[in-house]
Amino acid sequence: MIILAATPIGNLGDASARLVEALGTATVIAAEDTRVTVHLLRALGIDNRPQLISLHDHNERGKAAELVELARDTNLLVLSDAGMPTVSDPGFHLVEAAINAGVVVSALPGPSAVLTALAVSGLPTDRFTFEGFLPRKPGDRRGALRELAGERRTMVFFESPNRLAASLADVASTLGADRRVVVCRELTKFYEEVKRGTATELAEWAAGGVKGEIVVIVAGAELRVVDLDTGVAEVLALVAGGIRLKDAASDVAAATGLGKRDLYEAALKLKPSTPRPAPSANPQ
């Protein structure tokens, strides 16, 4: 079978007894970075020397079929550098291929940066969504955030420390300056830090420079009660800012509970028409 094994996200003391046993008896390990796996084995005092196969974002699709066939005859332990494989880490395509080929997939549960950050955030945990990394390019990032403007569940993101300040500034400008945000840095490590505040406050804090592994938790949108006229005015304001009418109606509907069709049709009647270009003075 294929065994997905969660590894510590920082503190080695979080390695489970099942993980230590699996590492001590494994004959083959597919690892995101084999050097990290060698370090983990040494740090946990495990003298087993299994065959190590590199499995990362750039080669996973090409290796999946080969590893699935290997797993028919032996247990294949799959590790990412930290946390659970497949969660913003390699492993998904391998699991998909294994399921399609009828090979059993199991997991050794353990540390998760997503759940750890969510638990300590102080934001609602009953319903949440994991969004992975935001896009690198500012325009794409703001576009992704606009799509989440009406999301009412707590949102969890990973982010690079080098892009954290810019991303938080985009959260403030797109989702609201007062939107509650929590930044978790270096979870379970000696320098663990949890910062809570508004999007604007944390953007200003991050502008001074931040290091380490980052998880960002953003509060979901609160449903605002407004009448249709107010909702239409908000749609038109978004359209004036360059957003398509259909998308603007969808965003306002998600944030207010008003009907998307009602908003679209009412705004369409009030939306200024685009003037046609004047005919050429010298037609050919």
Side-chain angles (χ1 to χ4, degrees):
M1 68 173 68
I2 288 174
I3 304 171
L4 308 173
T7 54
I9 59 176
N11 193 319
L12 288 175
D14 293 333
S16 70
R18 291 183 66 194
L19 174 64
V20 172
E21 179 183 6
L23 289 172
T25 58
T27 57
V28 185
I29 296 177
E32 181 179 7
D33 188 328
T34 57
R35 296 165 298 181
V36 172
T37 299
V38 169
H39 174 74
L40 181 64
L41 290 168
R42 290 173 179 168
L44 294 176
I46 298 171
D47 59 8
N48 183 29
R49 294 296 178 266
Q51 177 187 357
L52 298 178
I53 300 174
S54 179
L55 181 71
H56 47 73
D57 289 335
H58 302 295
N59 72 356
E60 183 180 358
R61 288 180 183 272
K63 279 186 172 289
E66 172 190 344
L67 293 177
V68 166
E69 291 307 309
L70 178 63
R72 292 187 188 278
D73 301 318
T74 188
N75 288 340
L76 175 65
L77 193 64
V78 179
L79 308 177
S80 60
D81 290 347
M84 178 62 73
T86 78
V87 182
S88 280
D89 278 327
F92 168 73
H93 298 296
L94 175 61
V95 169
E96 184 180 43
I99 292 171
N100 290 337
V103 172
V104 175
V105 178
S106 186
L108 299 182
S112 164
V114 174
L115 296 181
T116 302
L118 182 67
V120 302
S121 70
L123 296 177
T125 59
D126 53 337
R127 298 178 67 236
F128 69 93
T129 173
F130 174 58
E131 298 294 333
F133 283 91
L134 284 167
R136 293 172 179 266
K137 296 181 179 179
D140 293 341
R141 183 168 59 237
R142 288 189 287 271
L145 288 169
R146 276 196 298 270
E147 292 180 0
L148 295 169
E151 176 58 68
R152 300 185 65 193
R153 295 171 293 181
T154 301
M155 294 167 278
V156 184
F157 302 88
F158 287 159
E159 190 50 282
S160 159
N162 296 328
R163 296 193 299 272
L164 179 62
S167 291
L168 290 173
D170 286 340
V171 169
S173 64
T174 306
L175 304 185
D178 294 331
R179 183 70 69 98
R180 290 186 297 161
V181 175
V182 179
V183 174
C184 299
R185 186 180 71 85
E186 296 289 82
L187 286 169
T188 77
K189 300 177 184 177
F190 183 78
Y191 292 105
E192 176 179 293
E193 182 178 23
V194 178
K195 295 287 290 186
R196 302 177 178 88
T198 66
T200 297
E201 290 169 344
L202 293 190
E204 293 174 352
W205 162 76
V210 178
K211 296 181 180 180
E213 300 289 331
I214 305 292
V215 185
V216 179
I217 318 292
V218 179
E222 295 182 3
L223 190 64
R224 295 182 293 109
V225 179
V226 301
D227 57 29
L228 181 60
D229 288 343
T230 302
V232 170
E234 293 183 8
V235 170
L236 293 174
L238 290 174
V239 171
I243 298 178
R244 292 191 311 164
L245 177 57
K246 181 179 179 181
D247 294 336
S250 179
D251 289 350
V252 174
T256 63
L258 293 169
K260 180 169 65 175
R261 180 186 291 272
D262 295 336
L263 287 166
Y264 178 86
E265 292 180 349
L268 185 61
K269 293 177 181 177
L270 298 175
K271 180 176 178 289
S273 59
T274 303
R276 296 180 180 180
S280 173
N282 299 303
Q284 297 298 319

